[in-house]
Amino acid sequence: MLKASVISQRLLKDNFALLWLDKTPLKKPPRPGQFVMLRSWSTLEPLLARPFSIHDLNEKAFAVLYQIKGRGTSLLSQVRRGQKLSVLGPLGKGFPTPPTPKVILVAGGIGIAPFLFAARWLKAQNYKIHLFYGARSRKDLLRLTAFRALKIPVTITTEDGSAGHKGLITTPLSQTLKDKAVTVFACGPLPMLRAVARLTQEHNTPAYLSLESRMACGLGLCLGCVVETKHGYIHVCQEGPVIEAANLLND
Amino acid sequence: MENTSKEAQVKLDLSVSLGPLRLQNPLLLASGTWGFGEGLSSYLDLSILGALVTKGISLHPRPGNPPPRIAETPCGLVNAIGLENPGLEIFKRDIWPRLACFKVPLLVNVFGQNVEEYLAVVEGLLETKIQGIEVNISCPNVKKGGLQFGQDPKTVALLIKDIRDIWPRLLVVKLSPVGPVFEVAESALDAGADALTVANTYPALVVDVIRRKPDIAAGFGGLSGPAIKPLTLRLVREIYRRLKAPIIGCGGITSGQDVLAYILAGAKAVQIGTATLLDPMAPARILEEIEDLLRQIHEYRLAQLTGELQD
Ligand SMILES: Cc1cc2nc3c(=O)[nH]c(=O)nc-3n(C[C@H](O)[C@H](O)[C@H](O)COP(=O)(O)OP(=O)(O)OC[C@H]3O[C@@H](n4cnc5c(N)ncnc54)[C@H](O)[C@@H]3O)c2cc1C
Ligand SMILES: Cc1cc2nc3c(=O)[nH]c(=O)nc-3n(C[C@H](O)[C@H](O)[C@H](O)COP(=O)(O)O)c2cc1C
Ligand code: FES
């Protein structure tokens, strides 16, 4: 892996963090939806590096936005400005160039991560964007100021009703799909992705989903990261993480 | 250290012989841990290695196991990939020509569900210019109710003898680290194996206590990585002592120190597996570490160190 300097790290809400890293070690310019493998510990425990979507990008640096979940992400959350960590990337296949002038971004929870970068990229190409953002509760909503600064309309739902509409993000999404020629990009928990796949297929909407799976290498070496699709197993780190919604299995 | 500049000029000899082959150094990439070079070659110059051992190739393509296929454990990785591979024909047509470009000796890891399948793969490989095969015997034998070939010294003797009859190039047998290891090692050598890879992964179980299920869809998996290093190191030592066999050590290597430990215990060469998954540049770093270590201990011919552990 290559070494990247930490430019800044900021803890967000209870258990999230925003980490900016020097982008020199990135092998090529990333595309939204691509990911990096990161490790901030030099010991062999935890053994594996961890995969994270590229959340944001500027001339000098890239960011990851992550939830502090287990050992790897707790260690990662302890690094500070000036320290170095190991990076591999950008990896995998990102989102494609949308076939329609309007794009709907659908985020569930920490699935918001790839979409700030995606939004900047789409805006630069003059796409019209609408963000649909579902979370468990108000305290899980991240980076709203950054999205609003891009003047992107945001529709929010929370499961407990503490912000936006109470309920699931697929409810307002299904209303919008009825009358517009749009492309959908989605990232979030699998049940949400399945619902998005169902809805977009009903409306014949082109849709692309970002999947997760356990990864050892992120580089196509171990064949450990498969998910089953309509065309058999795919290796998420190579043929994904972004796949066409039509390829997702129904259950 | 003093003298570093002077010593740096002394040319190290890392080369090792393996059956009919002479390798430029003792580092091989282990089966199933480097794809077929595509993703890896943008991070690692494969031509610096001693040799490459491919993912297991079977007569017919195999889709592999359902996910999850991997689980992380303390200093270890448990995998049940299920020997996913494109099969012999695609290997010969599409993969071998590409791997030949790397200009490194190539060993094809071979497995089958019965003796006939092993032989069919080996026969097919005769039409290519690969330098050797590594026979994976940690594979369920369908005719013996799924008992692994590698658990039964008699079956191993017959299998390896049949393969030896048709395969004149380098023939390596990759042992399972469990079962009657020494008997199996002896049968493989008696049947004509040029060298032994010691060893494959350790059968293992990871439990998801919330779901009350194995944490890997296939149930059991194989443990690799630093967690197994002392166990496999001991196997290498014992096999070297008892059989004086040419050994390729394989298990948990992540540093130049680890490589020298295996060589001192009795290995002529080693394989790097999980370490490459953790960092695709690890093999290059390990090679540098070996050179630094040799200079530090004033040994200039690596091959002289095999088995030199003082016990
Ligand atoms: C392509 C991809 C992109 C991702 N992008 C982001 C992101 O931008 N922000 C974010 O917060 N999270 C993201 N994740 C999930 C993130 O990788 C996991 O949350 C993280 O690996 C958890 O590590 P841990 O050590 O804290 O947790 P532990 O539970 O201790 O991890 C144990 C093992 O399980 C693996 N694991 C645990 N959760 C997941 C998961 N959801 N997906 C895959 N492997 C997992 C770990 O990598 C590790 O090997 C992404 C996952 C993938 C596959
Ligand atoms: C993901 C993965 C896939 C593997 N696939 C094979 C295989 O196809 N055939 C084989 O003989 N060994 C296979 N192995 C075993 C390795 O080649 C090696 O023997 C083992 O991992 C121990 O070495 P290590 O600790 O350096 O990884 C695999 C190991 C891993 C981790
Ligand atoms: S994570 Fe290793 S092949 Fe995808």
Side-chain angles (χ1 to χ4, degrees):
Chain A
M1 299 177 94
L2 295 164
K3 292 282 173 204
S5 299
V6 175
I7 291 169
S8 69
Q9 166 137 268
R10 190 153 59 90
L11 300 184
L12 305 177
K13 311 273 173 137
D14 285 347
N15 59 334
F16 299 93
L18 175 65
L19 173 64
W20 279 95
L21 296 169
D22 170 20
K23 80 171 187 189
T24 332
L26 294 187
K27 281 250 163 180
K28 53 187 179 209
R31 195 181 175 93
Q34 286 191 300
F35 67 98
V36 289
M37 298 294 284
L38 292 183
R39 80 188 284 139
S40 62
W41 51 96
S42 55
T43 51
L44 292 166
E45 176 59 27
L47 189 67
L48 304 173
R50 304 298 197 238
F52 299 97
S53 304
I54 295 174
H55 167 65
D56 202 357
L57 184 76
N58 62 33
E59 297 81 60
K60 288 212 168 85
F62 72 98
V64 297
L65 176 71
Y66 63 95
Q67 182 166 18
I68 302 167
K69 245 185 82 175
R71 283 175 315 147
T73 47
S74 334
L75 288 168
L76 190 60
S77 70
Q78 286 158 23
V79 301
R80 293 291 172 266
R81 182 191 175 85
Q83 286 180 307
K84 295 217 152 120
L85 44 74
S86 303
V87 186
L88 204 65
L91 301 166
K93 269 170 58 179
F95 289 103
T97 302
T100 61
K102 186 159 183 200
V103 183
I104 292 183
L105 306 175
V106 186
I110 190 63
I112 193 69
F115 286 146
L116 190 59
F117 179 24
R120 286 194 206 287
W121 179 75
L122 291 167
K123 259 202 107 95
Q125 301 173 77
N126 297 315
Y127 284 95
K128 281 194 70 180
I129 310 164
H130 189 145
L131 172 66
F132 284 75
Y133 187 3
R136 209 159 276 159
S137 115
R138 171 186 289 278
K139 66 175 184 6
D140 299 316
L141 290 165
L142 305 170
R143 306 290 282 154
L144 286 176
T145 323
F147 282 100
R148 291 204 172 111
L150 287 176
K151 304 209 163 40
I152 294 170
V154 183
T155 299
I156 288 171
T157 60
T158 50
E159 285 170 42
D160 65 2
S162 53
H165 308 277
K166 184 170 164 53
L168 297 178
I169 199 62
T170 35
T171 313
L173 178 67
S174 65
Q175 297 303 315
T176 313
L177 290 181
K178 274 189 186 125
D179 48 43
K180 304 241 168 54
V182 297
T183 302
V184 169
F185 289 176
C187 182
L190 198 54
M192 182 199 95
L193 296 182
R194 286 196 206 289
V196 170
R198 227 181 300 114
L199 281 175
T200 50
Q201 275 167 280
E202 277 167 21
H203 294 91
N204 260 322
T205 306
Y208 301 87
L209 314 174
S210 180
L211 304 181
E212 284 188 357
S213 83
R214 295 185 193 173
M215 291 184 176
C217 68
L219 206 58
L221 314 183
C222 71
L223 311 184
C225 61
V226 293
V227 299
E228 195 169 4
T229 68
K230 287 183 183 156
H231 305 293
Y233 294 136
I234 60 153
H235 306 99
V236 174
C237 75
Q238 298 291 102
E239 292 121 288
V242 176
I243 67 160
E244 264 183 70
N247 292 344
L248 193 71
L249 277 187
N250 295 328
D251 59 354
Chain B
M1 281 220 318
E2 326 127 47
N3 272 344
T4 18
S5 58
K6 201 169 140 202
E7 290 184 21
Q9 288 156 15
V10 180
K11 186 102 176 75
L12 297 178
D13 178 5
L14 298 185
S15 68
V16 296
S17 63
L18 209 56
L21 296 186
R22 185 102 201 147
L23 310 182
Q24 61 177 338
N25 65 57
L27 284 198
L28 285 71
L29 295 189
S31 179
T33 59
W34 55 281
F36 287 111
E38 315 87 330
L40 186 58
S41 54
S42 52
Y43 290 92
L44 180 72
D45 174 5
L46 296 178
S47 70
I48 66 167
L49 293 158
L52 305 171
V53 187
T54 70
K55 177 79 191 161
I57 300 293
S58 49
L59 185 55
H60 304 294
R62 286 174 56 114
N65 287 333
R69 290 179 172 184
I70 52 176
E72 193 182 31
T73 60
C75 292
L77 173 68
V78 176
N79 88 82
I81 306 300
L83 295 166
E84 174 185 336
N85 82 94
L88 175 69
E89 284 316 310
I90 305 253
F91 175 79
K92 275 167 49 181
R93 199 190 65 202
D94 301 340
I95 298 172
W96 144 249
R98 212 161 31 71
L99 290 177
C101 300
F102 291 126
K103 307 243 177 294
V104 182
L106 188 70
L107 275 61
V108 175
N109 181 286
V110 168
F111 72 97
Q113 294 188 313
N114 51 54
V115 176
E116 293 72 32
E117 272 188 31
Y118 275 96
L119 291 172
V121 178
V122 174
E123 218 174 325
L125 290 171
L126 280 169
E127 295 160 25
T128 69
K129 293 201 175 103
I130 61 154
Q131 284 78 2
I133 56 173
E134 179 184 70
V135 183
N136 176 5
I137 54 172
S138 307
C139 202
N141 182 346
V142 172
K143 291 211 177 122
K144 289 252 166 110
L147 180 74
Q148 285 189 2
F149 284 88
Q151 301 304 317
D152 177 7
K154 289 208 185 77
T155 312
V156 169
L158 295 173
L159 174 70
I160 301 306
K161 195 182 163 302
D162 284 351
I163 293 177
R164 183 77 282 180
D165 284 344
I166 60 170
W167 183 259
R169 298 172 227 171
L170 176 66
L171 168 53
V172 179
V173 175
K174 184 169 185 178
L175 302 182
S176 164
V178 298
V181 182
F182 306 107
E183 290 80 355
V184 169
E186 199 166 6
S187 327
L189 292 168
D190 289 346
D194 295 309
L196 304 172
T197 298
V198 183
N200 215 312
T201 52
Y202 290 72
L205 173 66
V206 184
V207 174
D208 178 339
V209 294
I210 306 293
R211 288 166 52 248
R212 299 194 192 187
K213 289 203 161 174
D215 197 30
I216 283 191
F220 300 128
L223 178 63
S224 68
I228 69 172
K229 187 183 67 184
L231 300 172
T232 304
L233 206 43
R234 174 256 170 187
L235 276 181
V236 166
R237 188 63 183 156
E238 288 278 17
I239 293 174
Y240 179 79
R241 269 195 186 148
R242 295 187 194 197
L243 306 170
K244 286 279 177 295
I247 294 169
I248 307 171
C250 173
I253 292 173
T254 60
S255 69
Q257 293 258 5
D258 295 344
V259 173
L260 281 204
Y262 270 98
I263 302 238
L264 290 171
K268 295 182 88 171
V270 296
Q271 295 182 7
I272 315 280
T274 304
T276 313
L277 305 180
L278 308 184
D279 180 354
M281 294 147 85
R285 170 183 53 80
I286 293 172
L287 195 56
E288 276 174 28
E289 289 173 357
I290 297 174
E291 294 179 348
D292 291 347
L293 263 171
L294 287 181
R295 293 209 160 91
Q296 195 183 326
I297 62 174
H298 305 283
E299 285 285 353
Y300 302 100
R301 277 202 55 214
L302 179 88
Q304 277 172 350
L305 295 176
T306 292
E308 287 300 301
L309 184 67
Q310 310 291 307
D311 49 5

